[in-house]
Amino acid sequence: MSGEDAPAQQQNAVDQKQETKPAEEPKNESPKTESAPAAAADTAATPAAAAEKVPEEETFSYRALVLTGYGGYDKVKLQVKKGKPTLKAGEVLVRVKACGLNFADLMARQGLYDRLPSPPVTPGMECAGVVEAVGEEVTDRKVGDKVMVLNRFGLWQEVVVAPANHTFLIPEGMSFEQAAALPVNYITAYMMLFDFGNLRPNQSVLVHAAAGGVGIAATQLCKTVTDVTVFGTASASKHETISEGGVTHPIDYRTKDYVEEVRKISPKGLDIILDPLGGSDTHKAYNLLKPMGKLITYGAANMLAGQKKNLIAVAKNWYHQFSIHTLSLIQGNKSVCGFHLGYLDGETELITQAMNAILDLYKEGKIKPRIDSTWHFEQVGDAMRKMQERNNIGKVILTTEPMPEEEKKEEPKKEDKKEEKKKDDKKKDDKKKDDAKKEEKKDDKKKEEAKKEEKKEEEKKEEVKKEEK
């Protein structure tokens, strides 16, 4: 019997008892004077029982994040939904503790992710929590099980209903935050590297955004294979962390040309390249492949420029979209693959196989999700901003735990203030450098003009001397 069905069945038992009493009383030959109080008690019990049932269904509520329209961070709002979700056969009801934030969620907010229905809609593709009820035909899950959930959307809320085969048991010792960080990033990285990439010992891999969720997952999975060389792009401030995590050659994509840096170390190119960027970077990736190399493209992050849809960035990405003739593939001995977890939601067996392999690696201590930061639902805008501005190292997590009132009233944290100050100082420094360069150019120009004038004067003097002679 499921926890969901228990109240209803108990109520049915009370109703049956009330219906059978009038038939039983004559057999017991109870005096009418004694049956009246009993009948009155039954009559009083009926509304009470109904009163207990109605409020439970009508007053049941839970908080959910809702995308109300396309645009900036403020378009995702915290709302309260009423009514207890109903369970169908094969489904489970989960009380959510933590949710994962993914790049696809940022694109969905701007209307650039076609696997999310039109607003208003609750985003969220992964979460972790506790099973509170199971539907009919569910045999491998029970009330009280700690599970992680993978779904196409709809998981950024306190209570979710999902097919039981979209859930996975959380291993002993794994926190809800770690569990919420696992499904999307690690399944994506695993299937790209091993199903498409056929990663083997002594190969080389380029991981873009190596400090992000997929980047860290891919790096850890690469290190489960002997002598794999990992090239990882990330801003300079993240190099120490990603190097400790297994990146062999960190590259600062903001100040250096990653293609040139890779060629310096590996002139022949690379065996596998994971491309979440799209546009012109996909062309660069293809040209960086060795013979028999594999390019696996799985995103278009270059489309994101600012918190609202940037039509110029979108158009530029499409204009530079990679395309190739099959004859070129044959002559180059290269392969190009495309991966999108959102379109594999019907391939339950494939996903389950990948997740089982990932959980085995976790239990062996070979992989472990890295949590960058945890945010309350009320702070979803700040969480999205941190990820979109590439300030995270690891997974950004949303917690369903309500934000304490004192925290809501608090001023921005010192760390946040320091971070803002660093940004402002950097902008000022950059402006000073730009101004200094401009001044240098002006000085150089003045010097050149002065030299020209000197040269003209000398030429005039020479002419005068010639005339005098």
Side-chain angles (χ1 to χ4, degrees):
M1 181 180 70
S2 72
E4 176 82 17
D5 295 334
Q9 293 191 15
Q10 290 169 2
Q11 182 62 38
N12 290 338
V14 173
D15 293 342
Q16 288 169 4
K17 185 179 178 182
Q18 291 166 5
E19 289 172 5
T20 55
K21 270 194 174 181
E24 291 172 356
E25 283 173 0
K27 293 181 181 178
N28 295 334
E29 297 179 355
S30 301
K32 288 183 181 180
T33 52
E34 292 179 10
S35 67
D42 287 345
T43 305
T46 303
E52 284 177 10
K53 180 181 177 182
V54 173
E56 182 186 3
E57 292 182 354
E58 291 185 358
T59 63
F60 187 93
S61 63
Y62 54 97
R63 301 183 311 147
L65 290 171
V66 178
L67 177 65
T68 57
Y70 300 129
Y73 305 122
D74 60 336
K75 291 298 182 181
V76 181
K77 301 183 186 297
L78 184 58
Q79 298 181 358
V80 175
K81 293 185 178 181
K82 293 184 178 179
K84 195 166 189 177
T86 55
L87 282 176
K88 296 178 184 176
E91 293 182 334
V92 295
L93 184 141
V94 177
R95 175 68 62 173
V96 178
K97 302 296 183 181
C99 308
L101 176 61
N102 292 286
F103 217 82
D105 298 314
L106 304 181
M107 299 191 76
R109 196 195 69 243
Q110 294 190 3
L112 298 172
Y113 184 71
D114 60 359
R115 296 303 283 162
L116 187 75
S118 301
V121 61
T122 293
M125 293 176 284
E126 60 189 345
C127 70
V130 181
V131 175
E132 283 197 347
V134 296
E136 294 178 3
E137 300 177 14
V138 176
T139 57
D140 56 350
R141 296 289 179 269
K142 64 182 186 298
V143 174
D145 280 347
K146 294 179 180 179
V147 295
M148 57 191 86
V149 186
L150 179 67
N151 211 41
R152 189 153 63 88
F153 65 92
L155 300 185
W156 284 0
Q157 50 190 38
E158 290 178 322
V159 175
V160 300
V161 170
N165 59 8
H166 285 206
T167 68
F168 308 92
L169 292 173
I170 297 175
E172 193 70 31
M174 180 184 282
S175 68
F176 287 117
E177 289 78 14
Q178 289 175 330
L182 198 78
V184 172
N185 291 162
Y186 280 83
I187 291 174
T188 296
Y190 184 91
M191 295 185 82
M192 288 194 298
L193 287 171
F194 297 110
D195 289 309
F196 271 147
N198 190 27
L199 181 63
R200 301 189 301 280
N202 301 306
Q203 290 192 322
S204 54
V205 182
L206 172 60
V207 179
H208 283 295
V214 174
I216 286 176
T219 302
Q220 290 181 2
L221 290 169
C222 282
K223 303 320 285 184
T224 65
V225 180
T226 309
D227 296 327
V228 171
T229 302
V230 180
F231 293 80
T233 63
S235 55
S237 61
K238 301 174 182 178
H239 283 192
E240 184 178 350
T241 304
I242 64 174
S243 295
E244 290 171 356
V247 171
T248 320
H249 302 291
I251 302 169
D252 184 0
Y253 67 95
R254 293 181 177 178
T255 60
K256 294 180 180 179
D257 183 337
Y258 66 84
V259 174
E260 289 182 6
E261 294 303 307
V262 169
R263 289 288 186 196
K264 287 177 186 176
I265 300 164
S266 182
K268 287 186 177 180
L270 304 170
D271 295 295
I272 300 173
I273 298 176
L274 307 182
D275 168 39
L277 304 175
S280 59
D281 285 287
T282 309
H283 290 269
K284 293 178 182 178
Y286 183 78
N287 293 329
L288 261 179
L289 289 176
K290 285 180 180 178
M292 300 304 293
K294 303 173 187 72
L295 165 61
I296 305 158
T297 179
Y298 68 103
N302 286 336
M303 282 189 183
L304 279 186
Q307 60 170 299
K308 295 181 180 179
K309 185 193 287 186
N310 185 322
L311 293 176
I312 295 173
V314 173
K316 187 178 178 182
N317 192 79
W318 279 109
Y319 180 77
H320 292 291
Q321 193 69 22
F322 177 77
S323 62
I324 190 167
H325 197 280
T326 52
L327 191 59
S328 298
L329 289 173
I330 294 169
Q331 294 169 346
N333 287 294
K334 299 176 181 180
S335 65
V336 179
C337 310
F339 183 85
H340 194 310
L341 185 58
Y343 282 92
L344 281 178
D345 53 343
E347 302 296 330
T348 307
E349 189 176 343
L350 274 177
I351 291 173
T352 301
Q353 287 173 358
M355 182 57 96
N356 288 339
I358 290 163
L359 291 175
D360 286 342
L361 289 171
Y362 174 83
K363 291 169 187 174
E364 292 167 14
K366 293 181 179 179
I367 62 170
K368 184 180 180 182
R370 179 189 173 94
I371 307 301
D372 171 84
S373 52
T374 301
W375 306 76
H376 295 281
F377 270 3
E378 293 89 340
Q379 301 169 306
V380 63
D382 294 327
M384 288 190 294
R385 180 182 289 106
K386 178 158 193 174
M387 188 171 182
Q388 189 161 326
E389 292 179 358
R390 316 299 204 273
N391 290 326
N392 59 303
I393 302 179
K395 191 74 171 182
V396 177
I397 294 293
L398 300 173
T399 177
T400 58
E401 183 183 342
M403 188 175 179
E405 288 298 322
E406 56 269 22
E407 282 189 32
K408 293 179 185 178
K409 296 174 184 177
E410 275 181 8
E411 291 182 3
K413 295 178 182 178
K414 290 180 181 179
E415 291 82 0
D416 295 336
K417 285 183 178 179
K418 286 179 182 178
E419 196 172 316
E420 288 297 324
K421 191 174 183 303
K422 282 180 182 177
K423 286 182 182 178
D424 291 337
D425 291 342
K426 190 176 183 303
K427 285 180 182 177
K428 288 177 183 177
D429 291 339
D430 291 342
K431 193 174 184 303
K432 285 179 182 177
K433 287 177 182 177
D434 289 339
D435 292 340
K437 285 179 181 177
K438 287 177 183 177
E439 289 298 323
E440 283 179 14
K441 286 180 180 178
K442 285 180 183 178
D443 291 340
D444 291 340
K445 195 174 181 182
K446 286 179 182 178
K447 288 176 182 177
E448 285 178 10
E449 288 175 353
K451 285 179 180 178
K452 286 179 182 178
E453 288 298 322
E454 286 178 10
K455 194 175 181 182
K456 284 181 182 178
E457 289 295 325
E458 287 177 3
E459 287 174 354
K460 283 181 183 179
K461 288 178 182 178
E462 289 293 328
E463 286 177 8
V464 172
K465 285 179 180 179
K466 286 178 183 179
E467 287 175 3
E468 288 177 352
K469 286 178 180 179

